[in-house]
């Protein structure tokens, strides 16, 4: 069977689709990933990857146009209360740009089914049976419908939805559960980071997508770090000089391979990092913000598997609590077990014809 996997041109959107794409390939299906921009890095996986976006599609200028035309929508989005008003406009524009090249490729390659993440709604506009692959704690059906309503092309209803959110954090009607398997490509992990530290270790990460204030949380952690009895590891920091003695730095690393050697993680609230930390059973401190980040911060706090804080609220006591609070550790472990009990991508491929037909 020919399977076309479609993602918006961002690493955080294509990475969550890769475990299923690779499992389908290993099961003997022909698989092509269609995306663009920085997400083309998944060519390193060995899968065939098609660029269906082009260099003219840039998120920054599109977002700026929306902000200028819809300032109230933009203001709500920056507060983390924008619902889907801003994101549907943003990804609707990207979807319009993807539709024509996607259709051209589909007409030549003739896929039997399309698997797409919710914000790549163009995948459901090809006249081919489609499956939505959830990648966050939002309902993929709602996201796809909201983006599709902004697009010029007609978006058809999917055959089913693969639900990766653990039900104790978010539960939706319909669809099939599938285990979230963290993926962040290949990359070197320093030897010292691939083994336990003599002290508790806190990983500090930030979004792969540029945006205003993206380094504020990392800077706040650095200011508090020297008064915490822990080792801090900054991933892709803005600066590497003048840091406290207990703060180390690394460039790009595959975070899923590092998390088993960490006692906590501080991050921006992106879905991939959040679900990856849950899958590893690591307590997390989440910064609320635009898009899905506030919803994720609230969900992790509600489940008591992590904390939420603005950069201005980061203190040594808060960071100490992240690695010492037994309630956080217990809840994170419970969610890890919950995720592990869900059907794996390989299990889904074993039943693939049932999902498609």
């Amino acid at each position: 069977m020919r399977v076309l996997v479609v993602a918006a041109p961002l690493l955080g959107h294509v990475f969550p689709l890769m475990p299923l794409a690779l499992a389908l390939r290993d099961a003997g299906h022909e698989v092509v990933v269609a995306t663009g921009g920085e997400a083309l890095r998944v060519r390193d996986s060995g899968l065939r990857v098609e660029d269906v976006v082009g260099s003219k599609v840039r998120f920054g200028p599109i977002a700026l146009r929306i902000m200028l035309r819809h300032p109230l929508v933009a203001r709500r989005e920056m507060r983390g209360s924008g619902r889907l008003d801003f994101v549907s406009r943003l990804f609707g524009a990207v979807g319009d740009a993807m539709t024509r090249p996607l259709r051209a490729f589909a007409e030549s390659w003739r896929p039997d089914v399309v698997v797409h993440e919710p914000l790549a709604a163009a995948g459901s506009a090809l006249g081919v049976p489609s499956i939505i692959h959830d990648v966050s704690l939002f309902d993929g059906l709602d996201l796809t419908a909201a983006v599709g309503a902004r697009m010029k092309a007609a978006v058809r209803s999917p055959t089913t939805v693969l639900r990766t959110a653990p039900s104790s954090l978010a539960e939706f009607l319909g669809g099939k559960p599938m285990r979230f398997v963290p993926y962040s490509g290949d990359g070197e992990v320093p030897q010292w980071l691939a083994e336990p530290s003599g002290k508790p270790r806190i990983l500090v990460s930030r979004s792969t997508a540029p945006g205003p204030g993206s380094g504020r949380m990392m800077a706040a952690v650095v200011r508090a770090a020297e008064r915490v009895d822990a080792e801090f590891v900054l991933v892709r920091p803005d600066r590497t000089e003048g840091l406290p003695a207990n703060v180390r730095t690394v460039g790009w690393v595959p975070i899923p391979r590092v998390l088993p050697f960490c006692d906590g993680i501080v991050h921006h609230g992106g879905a991939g990092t959040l679900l990856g930390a849950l899958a590893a059973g690591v307590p997390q401190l989440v910064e609320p913000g635009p898009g899905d980040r506030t919803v994720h911060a609230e969900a992790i706090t509600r489940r008591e598997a992590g904390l939420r804080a603005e950069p201005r609220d980061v203190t040594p006591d808060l960071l100490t609590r992240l690695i010492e609070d037994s309630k956080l550790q217990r809840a994170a472990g419970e969610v890890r077990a919950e995720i592990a009990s869900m059907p794996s991508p390989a299990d889904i491929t074993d039943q693939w014809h049932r999902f498609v037909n």
Side-chain angles (χ1 to χ4, degrees):
M1 182 177 291
R2 290 187 167 188
V3 184
L4 181 60
V5 178
V6 182
L10 293 168
L11 285 174
H13 290 240
V14 71
F15 276 170
L17 307 183
M18 295 304 294
L20 177 62
L22 292 169
L24 287 166
R25 180 201 62 186
D26 293 345
H29 300 282
E30 292 184 69
V31 180
V32 172
V33 178
T35 184
E38 61 180 12
L40 296 175
R41 277 182 48 185
V42 295
R43 284 174 174 153
D44 294 343
S45 68
L47 290 175
R48 177 180 173 185
V49 180
E50 290 289 321
D51 187 349
V52 295
V53 180
S55 60
K56 293 183 179 180
V57 179
R58 293 184 297 159
F59 280 90
I62 295 172
L64 181 59
R65 286 197 297 271
I66 297 170
M67 289 178 177
L68 292 174
R69 293 173 184 171
H70 307 280
L72 294 179
V73 169
R75 196 172 303 158
R76 288 195 297 269
E77 179 69 12
M78 294 307 295
R79 291 199 305 262
S81 59
R83 300 193 187 94
L84 303 180
D85 291 342
F86 186 89
V87 73
S88 63
R89 287 179 167 88
L90 178 62
F91 286 93
V94 175
D96 282 337
M98 293 175 67
T99 300
R100 181 177 293 181
L102 261 178
R103 282 178 170 168
F105 177 73
E107 287 171 3
S108 64
W109 192 61
R110 298 188 178 279
D112 299 295
V113 64
V114 177
V115 177
H116 68 88
E117 50 99 0
L119 297 181
S124 281
L126 306 180
V128 178
S130 61
I131 294 174
I132 296 173
H133 185 313
D134 274 354
V135 296
S136 70
L137 301 184
F138 278 80
D139 187 342
L141 283 174
D142 288 347
L143 282 174
T144 301
V147 174
R150 303 284 185 188
M151 291 173 51
K152 298 171 184 176
V155 172
R156 62 187 291 173
S157 297
T159 301
T160 191
V161 186
L162 299 176
R163 305 291 196 183
T164 55
S167 59
S168 67
L169 275 86
E171 192 166 12
F172 309 111
L173 295 175
K176 308 291 183 181
M178 185 179 74
R179 184 188 312 161
F180 177 86
V181 176
Y183 179 93
S184 60
D186 294 326
E188 293 293 326
V189 177
Q191 182 61 38
W192 61 268
L193 194 51
E195 57 191 20
S197 169
K199 291 185 176 182
R201 176 181 288 152
I202 299 177
L203 197 69
V204 187
S205 176
R206 62 178 182 173
S207 176
T208 56
S214 61
R216 291 184 307 156
M217 179 59 94
M218 191 171 284
V221 171
V222 169
R223 286 193 295 271
E226 64 182 346
R227 290 175 287 164
V228 181
D229 188 21
E231 175 190 75
F232 291 82
V233 180
L234 312 184
V235 181
R236 298 180 300 111
D238 288 329
R239 65 185 179 96
T240 58
E241 298 178 353
L243 300 173
N246 62 335
V247 177
R248 307 180 73 168
T249 66
V250 291
W252 178 273
V253 291
I255 288 179
R257 286 169 52 192
V258 172
L259 278 172
F261 304 103
C262 297
D263 300 277
I265 180 171
V266 181
H267 65 95
H268 64 291
T273 307
L274 179 131
L275 288 167
L278 288 171
V282 176
Q284 50 196 299
L285 173 60
V286 179
E287 177 189 8
D292 55 7
R293 299 174 188 181
T294 294
V295 170
H296 289 161
E298 292 172 349
I300 200 73
T301 305
R302 202 164 47 242
R303 184 61 181 81
E304 297 184 317
L307 307 168
R308 62 169 284 173
E310 299 281 356
R312 63 177 179 270
D313 299 322
V314 173
T315 64
D317 286 345
L318 184 69
L319 295 172
T320 300
R321 182 185 171 197
L322 176 66
I323 54 177
E324 292 187 356
D325 190 326
S326 61
K327 183 180 292 186
L328 297 179
Q329 295 166 356
R330 183 169 57 253
E334 290 169 355
V335 180
R336 176 181 57 192
E338 181 183 355
I339 292 174
S341 71
M342 298 168 71
S344 71
D347 295 331
I348 296 298
T349 63
D350 289 342
Q351 309 171 42
W352 193 244
H353 289 280
R354 292 173 53 192
F355 290 111
V356 176
N357 298 324

